[in-house]
Amino acid sequence: MEKSSKKEVIEEQLADKAEHEKKKKALESSQNFQVAVVLIIIALLLIALAVIIIVKNAQNNFKYSNLDFKREYDSQVLFYNTKLLAIDDSGQEAGYISFSFRNDPRKLSYIPVETSKIYFIKNNVTYVSYETTNKTEEDSGIASAGLGLFLRKVNNIDTKSSFNDPSFKNNTSFPYVNCETNPKNTVIMFINSDETKIIQDSQNPNCYKIMFKDSEMLKAAERFELAILEQIKATE
């Protein structure tokens, strides 16, 4: 009886130990599963974050017309910025010149540019000529100031405002200028029209007409600027 009792105790202890080991393995298995689930969730979150960063980067940085653009905010105003490599008179690299657009350049492609080549007569002032009604257009100030700044940056072009209105013939501050009056100067004319496009005057190839409808003066001006940058990139 005593031997039988000892045997039973040993068997009971072994059974308890086996049960304990079984529970221990089950707990470890459960913990391992939980760790694996957590690691999978972390991995999925990291992948999702990476995808968001890639998508956002693709939205903010893009290439158009062989130009690299970046969407950036300045004082809560969205700009589309790009840059060109500057070359000095000796042919050496001289850093980069930055250009800013208020409109997405990809959305300006609908504006036709009907010119063979945009050329500026050097050493002579370039006239930017307006109709008197242009100044009442929305964003007219941004369009005119932006174009002047752009031309100074791109080729150190000196610009002067003028009007395509005979009443300004004797005005020394804002002269009367159009495609016929100043053949020795490059002339850029802003013209209200029933369509938005950029054309080269058929009689004076140094005169460019930025024609725009409704409130598209700024879009037309920036399309003209973009055409100049595209022309420069094509020659690099």
Side-chain angles (χ1 to χ4, degrees), residues 73-221:
Y73 283 89
D74 185 1
S75 301
Q76 298 184 335
V77 178
L78 176 61
F79 290 91
Y80 296 84
N81 298 323
T82 189
K83 58 185 179 180
L84 282 181
L85 180 64
I87 305 297
D88 61 24
D89 294 336
S90 64
Q92 300 298 312
E93 295 182 1
Y96 286 89
I97 306 173
S98 299
F99 301 94
S100 297
F101 293 81
R102 294 289 294 272
N103 293 284
D104 186 335
R106 297 168 294 187
K107 296 182 179 180
L108 299 177
S109 60
Y110 74 95
I111 303 174
V113 180
E114 301 172 4
T115 65
S116 56
K117 183 180 180 180
I118 301 174
Y119 174 79
F120 292 89
I121 300 175
K122 294 182 178 180
N123 302 321
N124 285 356
V125 66
T126 291
Y127 285 102
V128 181
S129 188
Y130 305 91
E131 295 176 320
T132 53
T133 56
N134 291 161
K135 292 300 183 179
T136 63
E137 292 291 330
E138 183 181 1
D139 292 334
S140 63
I142 299 175
S144 56
L147 179 60
L149 177 61
F150 174 87
L151 294 177
R152 283 195 295 275
K153 279 186 173 183
V154 77
N155 202 17
N156 198 28
I157 297 169
D158 183 24
T159 62
K160 184 173 183 178
S161 294
S162 58
F163 283 98
N164 179 25
D165 186 333
S167 64
F168 283 79
K169 279 186 176 180
N170 298 318
N171 191 314
T172 55
S173 298
F174 299 100
Y176 169 56
V177 176
N178 56 36
C179 292
E180 292 77 37
T181 60
N182 294 67
K184 294 183 179 181
N185 300 85
T186 301
V187 177
I188 302 169
M189 298 182 64
F190 280 99
I191 301 174
N192 288 90
S193 177
D194 57 357
E195 62 179 326
T196 301
K197 64 180 181 179
I198 297 161
I199 64 174
Q200 192 169 19
D201 187 69
S202 58
Q203 301 299 318
N204 179 4
N206 296 314
C207 185
Y208 307 94
K209 298 177 180 179
I210 301 177
M211 307 175 73
F212 62 93
K213 65 178 182 178
D214 302 327
S215 300
E216 296 189 336
M217 184 174 180
L218 178 58
K219 290 182 178 180

